[in-house]
Amino acid sequence: MRILRHITKMVCMALVSMLTVSCGIIDMELNEDVQVAYDMHFKHDTVYVMVGDTFVIEPVFFPDSVSNRELLFLSEDETVVTIYNDTVVAMAEGETSVVGVSVLNGFADTCMVYVMAPWVLNANDYSDDMVVYATATINGKPFDPDKMSIAAFAGSEMRGKGEVVTIGDRQLLRFRIYSYLNYDSDISADPEYIRFKCHDRENMTLITLPQYIIFDGETHGSPSEPIGLTSP
């Protein structure tokens, strides 16, 4: 991966060089207004998004007063993400890196992009379900449904998504989680561990919560005594 990133950065540097010569975008000697930047890095070095999402890669310059923040971008795999100007479009499930080079001084940085499949499922694929009532605290703050989603997983399979419900004066998360129970078998199946993940869409992070539940077809928690989901 380091070799790939190095090659990608070299390609971007070549692009900058070509634009410098052919288009005059960078003209350090002739343009007295060009500002000096001592460093540039991306605001995020790793992001988690879903297929169909778009986001802007934000550079951070030192000093912050630099006005020319134009970057050239390159995606290592355009089947996973495509870039239009500074906007990244998540095209398909997978992972790739995006390299950006400042046209001002040629500084380069890399952002790893993990594209997830949308959190949807077909309940008809499963024979059994269970309900979980919960509250959630993420990074010390109450769960914000406008910026976050929490889903239940068995291994890598999404089995249910938290729905915000208001009961009395409380807002809770209610999960309907799907799986199978072998009622008609004499052979007991291995228990299925249900774990929870939070996708923070604003910060583009994916947090695996430490709490888990064994799927048993029963209700866990209640509106009056919900279980607590908290990030590490």
Side-chain angles (χ1 to χ4, degrees):
M1 181 62 75
R2 290 182 178 179
I3 295 175
L4 285 174
R5 292 182 184 178
H6 178 71
I7 293 174
T8 308
K9 289 183 180 181
M10 293 299 293
V11 171
C12 282
M13 292 295 292
L15 289 173
V16 172
S17 178
M18 292 172 59
L19 286 172
T20 301
V21 174
S22 63
C23 301
I25 291 179
I26 305 174
D27 191 349
M28 295 294 187
E29 295 182 359
L30 300 179
N31 188 351
E32 296 179 355
D33 295 330
V34 169
Q35 296 172 292
V36 176
Y38 298 100
D39 189 21
M40 186 280 296
H41 62 271
F42 290 153
K43 183 177 179 180
H44 299 92
D45 58 9
T46 302
V47 300
Y48 290 83
V49 293
M50 292 186 179
V51 174
D53 287 350
T54 62
F55 67 95
V56 174
I57 295 180
E58 299 182 50
V60 177
F61 283 89
F62 177 78
D64 185 59
S65 58
V66 171
S67 59
N68 185 352
R69 296 170 178 265
E70 184 179 358
L71 301 180
L72 297 177
F73 292 99
L74 180 67
S75 168
E76 284 193 352
D77 188 343
E78 292 193 341
T79 65
V80 177
V81 299
T82 300
I83 306 171
Y84 299 96
N85 296 322
D86 60 351
T87 300
V88 178
V89 181
M91 305 294 293
E93 187 177 2
E95 63 182 76
T96 189
S97 62
V98 172
V99 178
V101 179
S102 166
V103 301
L104 176 61
N105 292 77
F107 291 115
D109 198 12
T110 302
C111 176
M112 284 299 302
V113 181
Y114 294 89
V115 182
M116 304 177 289
W119 284 355
V120 295
L121 60 76
N122 185 355
N124 294 325
D125 291 340
Y126 304 93
S127 61
D128 303 284
D129 65 354
M130 72 180 188
V131 174
V132 174
Y133 290 95
T135 59
T137 302
I138 307 300
N139 294 331
K141 298 180 180 179
F143 173 79
D144 186 344
D146 293 329
K147 300 176 181 178
M148 304 174 185
S149 299
I150 296 181
F153 288 79
S156 60
E157 293 185 6
M158 201 275 283
R159 297 292 184 83
K161 186 176 178 181
E163 172 192 11
V164 176
V165 295
T166 301
I167 301 177
D169 60 351
R170 304 185 67 182
Q171 268 199 343
L172 303 174
L173 282 168
R174 181 175 60 196
F175 296 84
R176 187 172 294 275
I177 302 170
Y178 296 87
S179 186
Y180 302 96
L181 290 173
N182 293 335
Y183 293 110
D184 300 327
S185 175
D186 294 332
I187 302 175
S188 60
D190 291 335
E192 198 163 49
Y193 289 84
I194 303 298
R195 301 182 183 276
F196 300 88
K197 296 181 181 181
C198 176
H199 182 215
D200 184 334
R201 297 185 299 274
E202 181 179 50
N203 296 305
M204 294 178 289
T205 57
L206 183 68
I207 304 169
T208 299
L209 308 181
Q211 297 79 23
Y212 67 88
I213 297 173
I214 295 177
F215 187 89
D216 56 8
E218 303 294 332
T219 297
H220 292 258
S222 67
S224 60
E225 294 185 7
I227 67 172
L229 300 175
T230 59
S231 61

